[in-house]
Amino acid sequence: MDRRQRKTRAAIFTAFSALLAEKPYSRITVQQIIAAADVGRTTFYAHFQTKDDLLRALCGELFGHILDSARDSAHSHGLYSDGAAPDSVFCHLLQHLQRNDRNILGLLCCESRGLFLRYFKEGLRELIRTELALPDHPGGVPQDFLVNHIAGSFVEMVLWWLDGRQRQTPGQLDAYFRAVTAPLLADAACQTRPDTV
């Protein structure tokens, strides 16, 4: 993608984000996006086949950016010193959210936030799978269920934080999150460890 195409794509993303801050996704038309971005219909369709395609691309761009940044940061300076726990990518993720790059918090608070939260949760599930390397939980609880539970818990925590006007620091939220997820992870690790005689 050349510089001009990147600039056009960014203008469409910006216009779409601004419209989402004003009205629900279902009430936004392609024509409104085109007018706000000041691009032609042919140009829009050269980048995106549909409005849904634009939404997927926007979410991929936003959440991919913060999730990748959190993952990269965690490898260089994790918060766990004993080495037993994984680096806290969650704290880094919260720091990126707090910085509000690309007005991501605005989108998570807008009327259409359910759409964004779904994509955010999908990205989180992948982050949890790769960063925590969870074992299969005993008692018939599949790993995918545990991953989904942890991702859902994180999303709910972020919503609680936003609704409370971000009074806690990312470090405090990370400590809360680890306090409630650590027993799950410890239980899974203990029960999958072979018995020693």
Side-chain angles (χ1 to χ4, degrees), residues 28-49:
I28 297 171
T29 65
V30 169
Q31 184 55 47
Q32 290 168 334
I33 298 165
I34 289 168
D38 195 23
V39 298
R41 185 169 287 277
T42 305
T43 301
F44 176 87
Y45 286 112
H47 289 270
F48 308 102
Q49 293 179 3

Side-chain angles (χ1 to χ4, degrees), residues 74-186:
H75 289 305
S76 60
H77 57 282
L79 300 180
Y80 297 84
S81 57
D82 60 7
D87 290 340
S88 181
V89 296
F90 300 112
C91 188
H92 295 294
L93 182 52
L94 289 162
Q95 289 168 344
H96 285 282
L97 285 172
Q98 187 181 48
R99 279 199 350 232
N100 200 19
D101 290 342
R102 306 174 194 191
N103 191 34
I104 198 163
L105 295 182
L107 295 174
L108 291 177
C109 292
C110 75
E111 263 189 86
S112 302
R113 77 183 190 175
L115 296 167
F116 293 97
L117 291 171
R118 187 180 77 222
Y119 284 101
F120 185 38
K121 190 174 174 186
E122 283 174 17
L124 276 171
R125 283 196 293 255
E126 184 56 33
L127 182 74
I128 290 163
R129 270 190 211 97
T130 58
E131 294 299 315
L132 297 186
L134 298 170
D136 282 331
H137 202 284
V141 179
Q143 182 189 69
D144 195 49
F145 179 87
L146 192 56
V147 167
N148 189 65
H149 181 74
I150 293 169
S153 212
F154 188 85
V155 166
E156 286 301 319
M157 179 186 69
V158 168
L159 291 177
W160 174 81
W161 183 51
L162 294 176
D163 290 343
R165 301 194 177 164
Q166 305 171 52
R167 284 192 289 266
Q168 297 77 18
T169 66
Q172 288 171 316
L173 283 178
D174 180 56
Y176 299 165
F177 188 66
R178 285 188 289 135
V180 296
T181 56
L184 286 172
L185 301 176

Side-chain angles (χ1 to χ4, degrees), residues 5-22:
Q5 289 172 317
R6 283 194 306 272
K7 192 173 175 182
T8 299
R9 195 175 173 93
I12 293 169
F13 280 161
T14 300
F16 186 43
S17 298
L19 286 166
L20 283 163
E22 297 170 9

